[in-house]
Amino acid sequence: MADRPPPTVIPRTSRRARLPAFVRLPMLIILNTCLQSALWAAAENVLQPELGAISKHPQPVLAEEGFAELTEPVVRLGTKIALISVAWQLRYDFFDIGALSAVINIPFAFLLTTYFNITHLTAFSYVAIEVISIALPTYLLRPIADINNPAVNIRNRYLLDSFQVWASNNALAIGVYATVIYTALQTHWLTLFLIRHFDLPSVELAHDLHYPTLAGKLLIAGYATRAFLLNPSIAAQPETGAATPVEVFEPATATLPQTLKHNVWFFSKRTRTLIQRTTVLGVFLLANTVLKGATLEGGEIIGSAGYASVWIVAANICAWWFVWTGDAEP
């Protein structure tokens, strides 16, 4: 019998990979918008119309006011497209974008429950819809990153799988958020600031908020911040004992980009990853909170921006802690 050639093995390709790259991003934006609308339509059948009672209503008395009302949805849509596009270019998978979406939407939910007497069910539904509407389409259109796939062997997987690392850094992030916000509340700075820039129906809940209760409200924020900032920075650093080649810098022959990188962007890959993600988180947390705050009756841009700054400070403190806690280099 004649020897047969060995069979040709055709590797299986992901269904996501079969779609052209230039199609997936527009499809992601469309799916996000449609799914978000569908989820809100379903939620309205269960939830009380609380958000409508505190939202601005169009009053086109003047042409300028009418124009402003028309441009707000356009600005919000533009911000959403920017967020999705940046996340896509930075290759965030569904877990990354879900964590980022949770962190940037929780401040607005906290504002609603603490100062506008919105129920926790409505606030939780708002955050859940925002997260699901972006995470689910991303899961369908982008493969899971190696860092979030336990079956893939990557650098420092033992740290990512460590319960001690997971629990301690979750507790750290929750504690940082709770301490920063509790301090702002106890000094009355935050409440007085919001009174000047929002039409608050009541501040009683903020006045009666205790630290343990506050920490409980921030469980998701702490978990999502740790997942978005710490895990990728741990995966970005080399294995213990591994040496990373360093290019010798020659000032006489170096180009301008090489000079800038040597003098400004000289951090390790782990630190650069942490800086990049902290910047993305801060920018979109500010933009999202300002735009959502503008939808509230009596809300001012400066009020929303000042309120967002409290959360940005807390997120940056977490990032600084993660520089140390996530360092596995000898």
Side-chain angles (χ1 to χ4, degrees):
M1 296 179 63
D3 293 336
R4 294 182 178 179
T8 302
V9 178
I10 301 176
R12 296 180 60 185
T13 58
S14 171
R15 293 182 179 180
R16 306 177 183 92
R18 299 173 190 173
L19 293 173
F22 67 89
V23 172
R24 280 180 280 173
L25 178 56
M27 185 178 295
L28 176 59
I29 296 172
I30 295 172
L31 287 176
N32 167 250
T33 304
C34 295
L35 181 58
Q36 186 180 50
S37 300
L39 290 174
W40 272 118
E44 288 175 354
N45 297 323
V46 179
L47 302 176
Q48 297 294 325
E50 300 175 274
L51 296 179
I54 62 173
S55 299
K56 290 181 179 178
H57 300 283
Q59 296 178 352
V61 178
L62 300 175
E64 294 182 355
E65 293 178 354
F67 178 76
E69 293 293 343
L70 291 175
T71 56
E72 283 184 6
V74 175
V75 174
R76 292 198 296 271
L77 178 61
T79 304
K80 177 189 296 186
I81 294 175
L83 171 63
I84 296 174
S85 300
V86 169
W88 187 265
Q89 292 300 321
L90 295 177
R91 306 191 65 81
Y92 293 169
D93 68 355
F94 80 100
F95 192 77
D96 294 321
I97 191 63
L100 175 60
S101 180
V103 176
I104 67 175
N105 283 289
I106 284 176
F108 183 67
F110 182 84
L111 180 68
L112 295 178
T113 57
T114 307
Y115 290 100
F116 287 89
N117 298 326
I118 300 299
T119 61
H120 288 86
L121 177 60
T122 298
F124 177 80
S125 299
Y126 155 73
V127 175
I129 289 173
E130 292 292 331
V131 172
I132 294 172
S133 63
I134 183 60
L136 182 57
T138 303
Y139 174 78
L140 297 175
L141 295 172
R142 162 150 283 170
I144 301 175
D146 291 346
I147 181 179
N148 297 319
N149 187 352
V152 177
N153 185 22
I154 63 172
R155 299 171 179 176
N156 298 324
R157 171 64 72 184
Y158 73 97
L159 287 176
L160 298 176
D161 294 340
S162 170
F163 176 79
Q164 181 180 357
V165 173
W166 177 88
S168 60
N169 284 285
N170 276 338
L172 171 65
I174 295 168
V176 168
Y177 276 110
T179 301
V180 170
I181 296 173
Y182 188 73
T183 301
L185 291 173
Q186 288 300 109
T187 58
H188 303 295
W189 172 85
L190 181 59
T191 300
L192 293 176
F193 178 81
L194 293 176
I195 289 174
R196 287 195 295 268
H197 300 288
F198 287 92
D199 291 339
L200 303 181
S202 173
V203 296
E204 182 179 357
L205 293 177
H207 179 74
D208 296 337
L209 194 59
H210 299 290
Y211 190 91
T213 305
L214 177 61
K217 288 186 173 184
L218 298 171
L219 290 175
I220 298 177
Y223 174 86
T225 301
R226 189 270 313 162
F228 183 72
L229 295 181
L230 180 62
N231 285 11
S233 67
I234 290 178
Q237 66 184 355
E239 295 179 359
T240 303
T244 303
V246 178
E247 182 181 356
V248 178
F249 177 72
E250 294 291 346
T253 59
T255 62
L256 179 59
Q258 290 174 334
T259 302
L260 291 175
K261 181 179 180 180
H262 178 76
N263 291 285
V264 179
W265 199 238
F266 53 84
F267 306 101
S268 65
K269 184 178 180 181
R270 180 181 68 87
T271 305
R272 293 199 304 269
T273 300
L274 196 54
I275 292 174
Q276 181 194 75
R277 290 204 168 213
T278 304
T279 302
V280 171
L281 188 153
V283 169
F284 283 105
L285 194 157
L286 175 63
N288 188 71
T289 306
V290 168
L291 291 176
K292 293 295 174 61
T295 65
L296 298 176
E297 190 66 42
E300 299 177 1
I301 292 178
I302 188 173
S304 299
Y307 172 71
S309 68
V310 176
W311 294 81
I312 294 173
V313 168
N316 277 272
I317 293 175
C318 289
W320 278 106
W321 274 105
F322 292 156
V323 170
W324 176 67
T325 59
D327 188 5
E329 298 178 3

